[in-house]
Each structure stands twice: as C-alpha cells, then as structure tokens.
Amino acid sequence: MAIATTNPVTGEVIRTFEELTAEQLDDKLERAAAAARSYRLTSVEQRAQWLNQAADVLEKDADDVSRMITTEMGKTLRAAREEVAKCVHGLRFYAAHGLDFLRDLRNDAGNVGAKESFVTYQPIGVVLAVMPWNLPLWQAMRFAAPALLAGNVGVLKHASNVPQCALYMERLFREAGFPDDVFQTLLISARRVEEVLRDDRVAAATLTGSEPAGRSVGGIAGDVIKKVVLELGGSDPFIVMPSTDLDRATDVAVRARTLNNGQSCINGKRFFVHEDVAEAFLEKFTAKMAALVVGDPMEDATDVGPLATESGRADVEAYVDDAVGKGATVLTGGRRPDRPGWFFPPTVLTGITDEMKMFHEEVFGPVAQVWTVASLQEALEIANGHPYGLGSNLWSEDQAERDLFVRDVQSGMAFINGNTTSYPEIPFGGVKRSGYGRELSDLGMREFMNAKTVWIGQDAA
C-alpha cells in the first residue's frame, strides 16, 4: 500500500510520501535509543510542562489539524474537531495526574524483614506504536501522552493512508519543547514492522488494529520476549430492555453505530432488543438511521461521511450482500449511492443467522444488526458467543439487570445507559480476541514501565 493522502470523498490522491530507506530507518532507531538514555533522567515535572505546552500548540493548530484528519480519512469535520479536543484533554490529564500515577508504592517493610520496601516505576525505553487510521490523532495520542510522561520514547508507525497526521504528531512534540528524537514518526510499510519490533533498540510495542495484525505483532513480540499491548477488533453488543427510555436509547444507538462513519472498534454493532419493545425500537431506530445526511464531511449538515478506503467499502458491501443473500432483511440502506467517493449509507438489518459472515466477524462501517430477544440472559448468550470482547452496552433502569450484565458480559468495558467511549481517566481494552493489556488511566501508563521492587535491610548494629 502506498504511503499517501487519498481523499475518500473523491478518490483523488492528494499527496504521496517516500518510504524510509534502510539507512534512514536505522538512523531514526539509533537516535531514539540515544534519546531514551537521557530522557529517562528528566523530571516528571518537566515532562508534564512539555505535555501542557503540546496541548497549547494543538489548541492553536486545532482548525488546520481537524481539516487534515477529515481530508485523510473522511470523518465529519465536527467529529474531527471533537477528536482534537479529546487529544488536548488527554495531554492535560496526564500532565496533571502523571506524578501521582508514578509515585512509589510503599510496602509494609516489617512484614518483609526490611527497614524500607517499595515499588518504583521506571520507563523501559523505546516503544513502537502501530496505529490505525480511524482515529488518527487520538489513537496515537492515547499512547504518546502517558508514554512520554512516564519517561519512555516513542516511535510511531501509523497507517499508510494518514501520513500527514503521523508527521504532525512528531512535529507537535518537537514544537512543544520535548528533546529531539523523543517522539519520531516512521514512514514505513506494514511489512517492515517486524524488522523494527525485532530490533534490540526497541523495548516493547503497542498495536491497535485488526485481529490478523494482532496475531502477527503478538507472535513476533513473543518470539523476542518483548511486552506488547494489543487492542484489536470489536463487535460490541448494545442491549435494550423494556424499562429504558426508547427515545434516548435510539438516539444513542444511532450515534453508537454511525460515529466515525461507523468505523470504530467500540461502535455498537449488534443490537439486542427485548421482544416487549422490539417493534417500537426498530421503528424509531430505523427512521433515525434513514434520516441521517450522507455527504461531504466538510459540510456542517453532514452526519455520515465516506468510508476511509475503497477496500473498506468493498468489505462492508460484501458483508451486507452475503447476509441478504442468506435471508437477512434490509430495513434501510444496504446499497452504495451512485456518486463518487467511498460512501455507504446507514444500514439496518434483521434476520441475522450464524450462516452469515457478519454474525462471526466485525463489520467496519455503518451497518447495524438487530436481534429480538426474550430476555437479558438470551441477549448475553448470543453476545458472549462472539470471539470479540471489547466494549458492551446495556440500556435498563432495573438494578438486577444491571448487576447481571456487569457480572456476565464478556467484555473489557461495560457501559450502562450511555454510549461506549474512551476517556483518559478510565482503562480501555478488551478480552478474548479483542486483545490484552490496557490503554489510558494509570493502568495504561504502567503497561510500559518496570515496576521495580526495592528492599532495604536493617542497618547494622
């Protein structure tokens, strides 16, 4: 795949970039390793100051960066502005709280026969981040902000269709005052990730992407015994029970399925609705999905822009065609519009069976699968049968149902009466084939730190 900015509204290649040569890549890794040796000695307070300065720079650049995101991957300009604002918040959050996250953890020294005993958190060095295009700034930032505050050095291998966003990340931290080479972008193809991960100068990796990519990176990391965090696919359940407010639930259901043009690992993708309210839910949900405006993502009136890549739209079409061919019913959408660009309309399907590919896999586009269920237990049984377990969502005013959902849903995150999303304040990650490890919060920061045990004996008499 070429490293290029291709406008998904028109299919026009706007700008291409040269891949790093072997010599250039080696030089960048050498400089990253050198930076890691000195950067780890800087104070947390100084790193926090640089993070705040990065937030200031990003706020100043917000309009241009938002337009760049929309141009490269097609999300609405409104959504791009929200993404930039989230990145600013993430930078300021870690600047404000990082010192507390990194404080030594004191033990009861007497219980271990010591005068003093504690755990101290130390950076591990150069961390490779392999990031996707769907949230091109936030995905990279939620790695970069905690990693840099912790004293690690980052090298970013971003998706090949968002090179300008990738290069901006490097420029942002440089302009914020961070030392040279503490954060670098590697313009390389996916086939060269293995070379970088196997390099002795790289200590660990984090990947957000597909299950096949996770298998590859996880296997390589295991072979060279390096820490890796994997955030992979999701086909999140969105469960609606009779006690909820259907107007509010359907409003959020529409946003859950179409946010980011339907291209997010935590989009609600499978909707399980109790039979007592299924007809009313479907009527409201389908009408709201059909009313969304599909169009130029730069226009304020647009609700859903194009999919990011031509191949991505082809994949979505194939899932829908397969389901319809095997008996699914299309309530709205289902066919690409007759216009340039990689658009696909908000789509609602019923009659999904396990013979259909979308039953078992993730559909990365604005396609909702709706089931009617007799109970919460039935919804959970179907939901948990899926190989992914990233986020999950319940709409209920019944405390017993909420407790059952939290206890039994097989997911890394459980949201009740609100849309599944990410915040720097709380951990993010999944179970099963959705990956392992956590991003964000204090847990995400400590994924790439050495929790070093310190034991100091009693003074000699």
Side-chain angles (χ1 to χ4, degrees), residues 238-254 272-274 276-285 288 395 397:
F238 189 108
I239 302 173
V240 180
M241 299 302 291
S243 60
T244 197
D245 178 341
L246 284 185
D247 288 325
R248 183 166 170 241
T250 50
D251 281 345
V252 176
V254 170
F272 301 95
V273 187
H274 192 278
D276 290 352
V277 292
E279 184 177 350
F281 176 91
L282 266 175
E283 181 179 351
K284 292 174 183 289
F285 181 53
K288 291 174 182 179
W395 288 79
E397 300 300 324

Side-chain angles (χ1 to χ4, degrees), residues 150-219:
N152 288 309
V153 164
V155 289
L156 170 64
K157 190 285 177 214
H158 219 321
S160 294
N161 61 325
V162 289
Q164 294 187 66
C165 291
L167 291 169
Y168 176 77
M169 289 288 295
E170 179 178 319
R171 186 166 71 251
L172 169 66
F173 292 118
R174 185 170 62 247
E175 291 182 8
F178 281 89
D180 289 345
D181 307 320
V182 162
F183 191 94
Q184 297 183 77
T185 287
L186 309 179
L187 289 184
I188 58 174
S189 63
R191 62 182 171 78
R192 297 174 70 186
V193 167
E194 178 171 1
E195 171 189 353
V196 177
L197 184 51
R198 288 187 179 277
D199 194 292
D200 289 340
R201 292 167 291 192
V202 172
T206 179
L207 175 136
T208 298
S210 67
E211 182 184 342
R215 289 179 184 276
S216 175
V217 168

Side-chain angles (χ1 to χ4, degrees), residues 320-337:
V320 172
D321 290 347
D322 172 75
V324 172
K326 295 172 180 174
T329 299
V330 178
L331 300 186
T332 188
R335 291 189 176 277
R336 70 163 74 179

Side-chain angles (χ1 to χ4, degrees), residues 43-56:
S43 69
V44 179
E45 291 80 4
Q46 175 62 80
R47 298 173 208 153
Q49 180 181 334
W50 286 326
L51 282 185
N52 276 322
Q53 290 169 185
D56 293 341

